[in-house]
Amino acid sequence: MTLQVELVSAEAKVWSGTARMVIARTSEGEIGVLTGHEPTLALLAPGKVTIRGEDGSTVVAEVKDGGFLSIDHDRVTVVADTAALADSAV
């Protein structure tokens, strides 16, 4: 099973696709999301969002101004005020 992931900023869609895992920094600490995760709504803190693709690739985005993370039925939506793919994205 995989996660359907969408990462958007106020300006544009930054990344979307399927993934095995999403790691993000929230106001409560770091959260790791795998399939079957309980529904969650969390405030993002500035930092990295790491997406581990189902093909083994890794995408890293920098969130600069916060936003929120929504998890529901293996769908992860990351909405950030400002976000961009980091130079180290593979």
Side-chain angles (χ1 to χ4, degrees), residues 36-58:
H37 196 286
E38 67 182 50
T40 303
L41 183 62
L43 292 175
L44 281 179
K48 290 181 169 61
V49 174
T50 303
I51 302 166
R52 309 252 184 218
E54 62 181 331
D55 62 357
S57 64
T58 300

Side-chain angles (χ1 to χ4, degrees), residues 6-88:
E6 193 161 354
L7 172 62
V8 297
S9 71
E11 297 88 32
K13 183 184 293 189
V14 177
W15 189 89
S16 68
T18 57
R20 290 182 294 134
M21 181 178 201
V22 176
I23 302 166
R25 182 179 303 263
T26 72
S27 60
E28 299 294 318
E30 198 166 77
I31 186 171
V33 181
L34 299 170
T35 58
H37 196 286
E38 67 182 50
T40 303
L41 183 62
L43 292 175
L44 281 179
K48 290 181 169 61
V49 174
T50 303
I51 302 166
R52 309 252 184 218
E54 62 181 331
D55 62 357
S57 64
T58 300
V59 174
V60 178
E62 284 288 334
V63 172
K64 296 183 181 164
D65 297 320
F68 70 89
L69 170 82
S70 171
I71 307 162
D72 191 30
H73 293 97
D74 292 335
R75 179 172 295 278
V76 180
T77 305
V78 180
V79 179
D81 295 332
T82 305
L85 294 180
D87 293 335
S88 63

